Amino acid sequence: MIAVNPAFARIGEENAFAVLAKAAELQRQGRDVINLGIGQPDFKTPAHIVQAAVKALRDGEHGYTDATGIAPLREAVSADLHRRLGFDVSPDLVLIVPGGKVTMFMAILMFGDPGADIVYPDPGFPIYRSMIEFTGARPVPAQMREENGFAFSAEETLALMTPETRLVILNSPANPTGGVTPGEEIDKLVAGLARWPNAAILSDEIYGQLTYDGLAHRSLLAYTEIRDRLILLDGWSKTYAMTGWRLGYSVWPKLWRDMARKLAVNSYSCVNSAAQFAGIAALKGPQDSVAAMRAEFDRRRKAVVAGLNRLPGVSAVTPKGAFYAFPNVSRTGWKAKPLASALLEEVGVATIGGPDFGVHGEGYLRLSYANSLENIERALTRMADFLSRPASPNAGLEKP
Ligand code: PLP
């Protein structure tokens, strides 16, 4: 047998894509499936953004660009960070990447090696752990607890740090829980990080513009004392409904941005040039679509949480951000993954089992409410019917 790099035995993936494929397969067979599994806005990219990409293609923007992204786009990112959050970030520290995910790939590669520890949220975005394991670093899960609204606990996170900690990954607002870490907790965390000056920080703020109840997003860029070791991950996918465009950006300290640029040159060369022009239009154009999408998600959030709390054996805390609910299903008598499979097979509702987001995800399901209110209500009715059924061993339902 030809040997491949043994690291490939350790790399994981995202089950949301497997659930998407399974739901599509059931739909092909004529089943009516409501997909609350996949984490992408169900809106179209606003027309003026699409127009900008079409224009770029018509104007002949067909070649390679600078590996770090075209200057007007990096300048637009810098101006947007100033307009939105009030921070000064030089365009020279911005790297345009093909999707937010690429920033985590680069950052984890940069700091992960055997002997290093990387602290990451659990339940959390599955790629963090997958990439940590791939590099041979030790994954150190920081538990996100329901009783904290799935926010980071500064004390618990800091207690996990050791002299071997090379990278701490933060994510607020969070996938899969919708948890938002309060500003005071972030203050405490950053203050405690002063004791660990050799640890880099990756702040995944891809849902930063999706917070509710008047809560302002607290970016880690606010803390100038950690700027020299902070990597900010953001992008267009969620804010502008552009998941398929593959467009993201990151802000790095100078030396690390140059290392990241080399990774770009060694892999994808540059981001699709038309998509970069679309990115400029998104940041410089009208922002009303962002506010409208947020308002619609908020309506759905309220409906989904109220509906979940009416289901037998289910309780859900109110998520403060992103577009996910993470209900506790432990009192249904089901383990989370068999429940997610049964809901899909039996009543055509696609969700993701909490364990797909880490060991601390057992007992929970992730529901993405990036679907119409009507479909959300239909899905909740189907879930209520299913959970009210007497569990029969003949029903083929795999109770734990
Ligand atoms: N970070 C988090 C927490 C996410 O949930 C996602 C996508 O689901 C990403 C990053 C990646 O976004 P992109 O599609 O831009 O790669």
Side-chain angles (χ1 to χ4, degrees):
M1 248 244 300
I2 300 174
V4 298
N5 179 340
F8 281 88
R10 302 192 300 266
I11 198 163
E13 55 190 315
E14 244 191 290
N15 201 32
F17 285 103
V19 172
L20 184 66
K22 173 83 183 163
E25 172 58 27
L26 289 172
Q27 276 165 334
R28 261 194 304 279
Q29 293 167 13
R31 295 274 305 276
D32 172 21
V33 176
I34 304 167
N35 196 343
L36 305 185
I38 194 75
Q40 68 177 336
D42 54 318
F43 305 101
K44 294 286 173 220
T45 305
H48 68 279
I49 301 177
V50 177
Q51 282 307 327
V54 171
K55 180 171 184 313
L57 287 173
R58 292 230 163 91
D59 289 351
E61 301 288 354
H62 303 167
Y64 292 126
T65 74
D66 189 301
T68 61
I70 56 177
L73 180 56
R74 288 185 290 103
E75 282 155 15
V77 167
S78 166
D80 180 64
L81 288 169
H82 189 83
R83 174 186 65 78
R84 238 171 1 98
L85 302 167
F87 304 130
D88 288 325
V89 170
S90 159
D92 291 346
L93 302 180
V94 173
L95 182 72
I96 306 301
V97 282
K101 232 178 205 177
V102 176
T103 299
M104 70 184 78
F105 184 86
M106 290 175 160
I108 297 170
L109 267 190
M110 215 176 275
F111 297 100
D113 65 1
D117 282 4
I118 300 184
V119 177
Y120 69 101
D122 180 336
F125 192 55
I127 300 306
Y128 304 143
R129 184 180 178 109
S130 165
M131 275 306 298
I132 295 167
E133 302 230 41
F134 182 71
T135 64
R138 189 168 76 98
V140 181
Q143 185 172 359
M144 301 294 111
R145 296 179 191 276
E146 183 180 355
E147 59 269 32
N148 291 343
F150 297 110
F152 276 83
S153 149
E155 197 182 324
E156 279 188 58
T157 308
L158 291 165
L160 295 169
M161 302 205 45
T162 71
E164 275 62 64
T165 309
R166 292 281 168 278
L167 180 68
V168 187
I169 303 175
L170 304 174
N171 175 219
S172 174
N175 179 6
T177 61
V180 172
T181 302
E184 319 82 75
E185 207 57 29
I186 303 184
D187 289 347
K188 275 197 234 161
L189 186 57
V190 172
L193 285 172
R195 292 204 307 278
W196 305 103
N198 296 326
I201 301 142
L202 169 64
S203 184
D204 181 343
E205 301 184 15
I206 197 109
Y207 297 100
Q209 296 205 55
L210 288 172
T211 55
Y212 309 107
D213 300 333
L215 211 67
H217 171 57
R218 173 73 62 97
S219 172
L220 270 278
L221 280 177
Y223 302 88
T224 45
E225 64 272 39
I226 54 165
R227 279 273 185 98
D228 61 348
R229 53 185 172 129
L230 174 69
I231 302 154
L232 174 81
L233 180 162
D234 207 332
W236 286 258
S237 297
K238 317 286 174 176
T239 316
Y240 298 100
M242 292 177 72
T243 51
W245 293 72
R246 309 314 299 136
L247 187 65
Y249 71 83
S250 24
V251 176
W252 307 73
K254 189 137 195 66
L255 180 68
W256 298 347
R257 195 197 74 147
D258 202 50
M259 287 161 57
R261 180 190 60 77
K262 285 185 185 162
L263 281 176
V265 170
N266 277 273
S267 50
Y268 57 83
S269 298
C270 68
V271 173
N272 174 307
S273 62
Q276 295 191 53
F277 284 90
I280 298 175
L283 297 179
K284 289 192 156 173
Q287 301 296 306
D288 45 343
S289 64
V290 180
M293 197 165 71
R294 187 189 303 116
E296 180 56 26
F297 280 141
D298 192 17
R299 264 192 292 282
R300 298 169 181 183
R301 174 181 75 116
K302 289 175 177 144
V304 91
V305 171
L308 285 168
N309 281 309
R310 283 196 292 268
L311 298 179
V314 178
S315 60
V317 296
T318 302
K320 300 269 191 226
F323 41 65
Y324 306 107
F326 204 61
N328 185 326
V329 294
S330 57
R331 286 177 306 282
T332 59
W334 286 83
K335 290 264 189 220
K337 284 186 61 118
L339 178 58
S341 302
L343 285 170
L344 179 56
E345 301 278 345
E346 298 289 322
V347 290
V349 176
T351 62
I352 315 274
D356 284 333
F357 302 97
V359 288
H360 297 301
E362 184 52 87
Y364 298 91
L365 288 185
R366 186 189 81 173
L367 276 73
S368 155
Y369 49 87
N371 206 321
S372 67
L373 256 185
E374 188 196 346
N375 278 342
I376 289 169
E377 296 293 358
R378 283 170 61 224
L380 288 165
T381 305
R382 290 182 189 189
M383 289 173 78
D385 287 349
F386 177 81
L387 290 168
S388 313
R389 285 181 195 170
S392 144
N394 299 327
L397 304 181
E398 188 198 340
K399 270 240 176 192

